[in-house]
């Protein structure tokens, strides 16, 4: 993993990261990405979902399963899942614990 952020992370920061990642990867304007939209409906295929999981691991410092984006297929669901892992590891921002 390359240079994960070391400060506590909020769920809002995770959502912002997800939207930024998807906007770049799928060449969409960020405002077109709804937090409850299904990743597949946005155009994220299985290969790109694996790239997203790997990027999220690098960004967060967490180890995620290869199916994480498929099992948590929206910005909201993905963010909630990552937040739950961060809480377990004591890396959630104050107010998120």
């Amino acid at each position: 993993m390359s240079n994960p952020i070391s400060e506590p992370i909020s769920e809002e920061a995770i959502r912002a990261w997800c939207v930024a990642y998807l906007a770049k990867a799928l060449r969409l304007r960020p405002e077109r990405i709804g937090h409850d939209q299904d990743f597949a409906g946005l155009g994220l295929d299985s290969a790109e979902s694996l790239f997203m999981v790997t990027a999220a691991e690098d960004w967060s410092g967490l180890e995620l399963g290869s199916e994480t984006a498929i099992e948590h297929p929206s910005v909201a669901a993905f963010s909630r899942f990552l937040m739950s892992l961060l809480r377990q590891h004591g890396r959630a921002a104050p107010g998120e614990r």
Side-chain angles (χ1 to χ4, degrees):
M1 287 179 220
S2 64
N3 233 5
I5 57 177
S6 57
E7 67 271 0
I9 302 171
S10 69
E11 192 168 336
E12 181 179 332
I14 299 168
R15 286 192 304 266
W17 179 90
C18 286
V19 168
Y21 180 90
L22 291 166
K24 184 176 180 180
L26 302 174
R27 296 183 177 128
L28 297 171
R29 293 192 332 264
E31 58 272 10
R32 297 211 44 213
I33 300 170
H35 291 181
D36 292 317
Q37 278 182 284
D38 189 82
F39 289 150
L42 290 167
L44 194 74
D45 63 23
S46 58
E48 188 58 53
S49 71
L50 185 54
F51 294 140
M52 179 178 165
V53 168
T54 301
E57 287 179 324
D58 289 345
W59 177 76
S60 69
L62 295 170
E63 278 192 48
L64 306 171
S66 60
E67 300 290 315
T68 300
I70 293 167
E71 294 169 352
H72 308 279
S74 69
V75 169
F78 193 84
S79 299
R80 278 191 302 271
F81 176 70
L82 262 61
M83 195 73 245
S84 71
L85 292 178
L86 289 166
R87 282 187 192 106
Q88 291 173 19
H89 289 89
R91 297 213 22 244
E96 300 278 353
R97 296 185 175 150

